[in-house]
Amino acid sequence: TSSKRGLIYIPNRKYTSDDSIWTKSNSDLTWYYNYGSSPTPSLSGSQLQFVPMLWGHPDETSGTTFYDTIKALKISGQNITHVFAFNEPDGDTKTGGSSIAPDKAASIWIRELEPLRKLGIQVGAPAVTGSQRGIDWLKDFFENCKGKCNADFMPIHWYGYSPSNNFEGLAGYVGQIMGTYPKLKIWVTEYALSRVALQESQAFYNQSAAWFDKMEYFDSNITHYSWFGSFRSDVSNVGPNAAMLTQNGKLTDIGSWYLGGSATGAVPQ
C-alpha cells in the first residue's frame, strides 16, 4: 500500500461504470489528473485530490485563461495545491505531445503559471518525454525563462520497451533528473513497461512501485507516482499487459495491486 499513488484518468465513454473502480473507499489512490484544467465530474466528491494541467499552448497569445480557471476553482473551495505544466512539449502531437518551443513555453509560464505560486499553489516543471531530447528541451526552457520560472517539483514520464530497457533504465533516468535538478521533489506522472510479456510487466510494476515508495535522495525524493494506465487492455496504446483493467473491465493483478489489493488472476487481452 502507498499514499503516493495517483490516477491518470482516461475516460471510457463506452463503459462509464469503470469510473467507480477508482473511487472505492478502500483504494490507495489519493490524487488524480485528467490532462485538463477542470475536475472530472464522476470523480468529484471522492477521496481523490484533483491536479489541474495546462496541457499545451493556449489559444490566446496574451490572456490568462488557465490562471483565471485555477483561481476560480480555488475560490470556489476546490483543494487545489499543485498544478502541472505542458504535457510532453518536446513531443509530437501525433504521439500525445503538446509540441511547444522552449521559448514559447517560457513566456506562457511567466504569464499563466508563475502567478499561481502567489496563491499558494505549487507548480510542476514541464513534463517532457523520458529521453535525451526531453532533457535538452528542459535545459533550453529554463534558459529562456531567465530566472523567472520557479518550478516547485519535477514531473517525469518514462516508458521502457524491452528487457534491456526496464527498471534499470527507469532508475537511471530518474537519477539523471535528480542529479540535474537536486532541489526539486519528483513526481513520476506517467510510466510503464510497454508491449512486453505479462510476467515482465508485473515484475517491473512491483520493483518500480517498491522503489518509489522507499526512495529518498538527499534533498529530493519521489513524493507521487502514477502508473499508465487506467484503461481496458483492448484499447491500451502501451500494450495490454500494462493495463489496470481487462477487456471486460475487471482489475488485472497490476490494477488491484495499484489500488492496494491482492492479485486477481484476471488476464488482460
Side-chain angles (χ1 to χ4, degrees):
T1 60
S2 173
S3 61
K4 296 183 180 183
R5 293 177 194 153
L7 176 73
I8 306 169
Y9 176 72
I10 308 294
N12 189 329
R13 293 179 176 83
K14 185 176 181 180
Y15 301 105
T16 57
S17 61
D18 287 356
D19 287 0
S20 64
I21 294 171
W22 317 119
T23 58
K24 294 178 180 178
S25 59
N26 60 343
S27 167
D28 262 8
L29 303 181
T30 57
W31 60 278
Y32 81 100
Y33 73 102
N34 58 15
Y35 297 100
S37 58
S38 298
T40 300
S42 62
L43 303 183
S44 297
S46 71
Q47 77 278 15
L48 302 180
Q49 182 178 0
F50 177 58
V51 181
M53 173 185 279
L54 176 56
W55 184 85
H57 199 300
D59 292 334
E60 72 276 4
T61 58
S62 60
T64 57
T65 300
F66 183 77
Y67 170 82
D68 294 340
T69 298
I70 304 311
K71 184 178 180 180
L73 287 173
K74 189 93 170 170
I75 292 173
S76 72
Q78 286 275 346
N79 185 24
I80 305 297
T81 59
H82 298 77
V83 298
F84 296 137
F86 311 125
N87 187 69
E88 300 190 353
D90 60 306
D92 191 275
T93 54
K94 294 180 181 178
T95 56
S98 54
S99 186
I100 309 174
D103 60 335
K104 295 292 184 182
S107 64
I108 295 167
W109 178 294
I110 293 168
R111 185 177 76 242
E112 292 261 44
L113 294 161
E114 191 67 24
L116 289 172
R117 300 180 74 243
K118 295 180 180 179
L119 302 179
I121 297 172
Q122 294 191 27
V123 182
V128 297
T129 60
S131 64
Q132 187 59 48
R133 181 185 68 193
I135 291 172
D136 293 342
W137 189 99
L138 270 180
K139 180 176 181 291
D140 291 344
F141 167 77
F142 283 114
E143 287 178 352
N144 277 278
C145 285
K146 302 184 186 304
K148 297 180 180 179
C149 305
N150 297 287
D152 297 291
F153 61 98
M154 178 64 69
I156 287 178
H157 288 188
W158 190 89
Y159 293 95
Y161 294 91
S162 69
S164 61
N165 189 20
N166 48 31
F167 175 74
E168 287 74 18
L170 168 65
Y173 181 74
V174 171
Q176 185 176 3
I177 295 295
M178 285 182 168
T180 307
Y181 303 97
K183 295 182 179 180
L184 296 182
K185 302 295 184 183
I186 301 295
W187 291 40
V188 183
T189 52
E190 277 192 35
Y191 83 105
L193 198 56
S194 302
R195 307 185 191 286
V196 296
L198 181 59
Q199 186 175 3
E200 186 179 353
S201 185
Q202 292 174 341
F204 171 77
Y205 166 76
N206 283 317
Q207 189 172 10
S208 58
W211 185 61
F212 291 159
D213 289 332
K214 297 175 182 177
M215 181 64 176
E216 290 187 1
Y217 186 90
F218 298 108
D219 293 330
S220 291
N221 60 70
I222 296 171
T223 61
H224 298 70
Y225 63 92
S226 45
W227 175 265
F228 195 84
S230 62
F231 34 68
R232 296 193 179 201
S233 58
D234 57 345
V235 297
S236 172
N237 63 349
V238 289
N241 295 325
M244 289 198 277
L245 299 175
T246 69
Q247 66 282 2
N248 297 318
K250 304 295 184 182
L251 282 169
T252 63
D253 286 354
I254 289 177
S256 184
W257 292 332
Y258 194 69
L259 269 61
S262 57
T264 64
V267 177
Q269 297 178 13

